[in-house]
Amino acid sequence: DANIEGAKLNGADLRDANIEGAKLNGADLRDANLGGANLWDADLRDANLGGANLRDADLRDANLGGANLRYANLNGADLEDANLAGADLEGANLGDANLAGADLEGANLGDAKLDGANIEDA
């Protein structure tokens, strides 16, 4: 439940970190390594996650509304019931990701890789 809104964490190594419920809205996490991190219920509205590694991250119920996820690696990430409304996912790797129940309204999925992704009720 840490409040680190607007933090500059670009390039940070946060692999397997427990950031559950954190307030990271507007944070700069470009090219950060968040592989396997627990971001369940985190507030990442308008965060910049361009090029970030979120492979196998837990993003269930996370708020990623308006976030920049261009070319991010979300392979195997759990985004069940996440808010991705208005997010930019251009070129993102969502292979094998769980997007069940996710809000994708207005999201940019141009050139995104969705092989094996679960988009049931998204």
Side-chain angles (χ1 to χ4, degrees), residues 26-86:
D28 183 357
L29 290 153
R30 283 173 295 139
D31 300 316
N33 187 351
L34 293 150
N38 178 5
L39 290 154
W40 179 77
D41 199 33
D43 184 354
L44 291 152
R45 284 173 295 140
D46 301 316
N48 187 350
L49 292 147
N53 177 25
L54 292 151
R55 183 181 187 94
D56 299 322
D58 183 352
L59 290 154
R60 290 172 296 148
D61 296 311
N63 187 349
L64 293 150
N68 172 15
L69 291 153
R70 290 172 68 101
Y71 301 100
N73 180 6
L74 291 147
N75 188 275
D78 192 348
L79 292 147
E80 185 173 354
D81 296 323
N83 175 16
L84 291 156

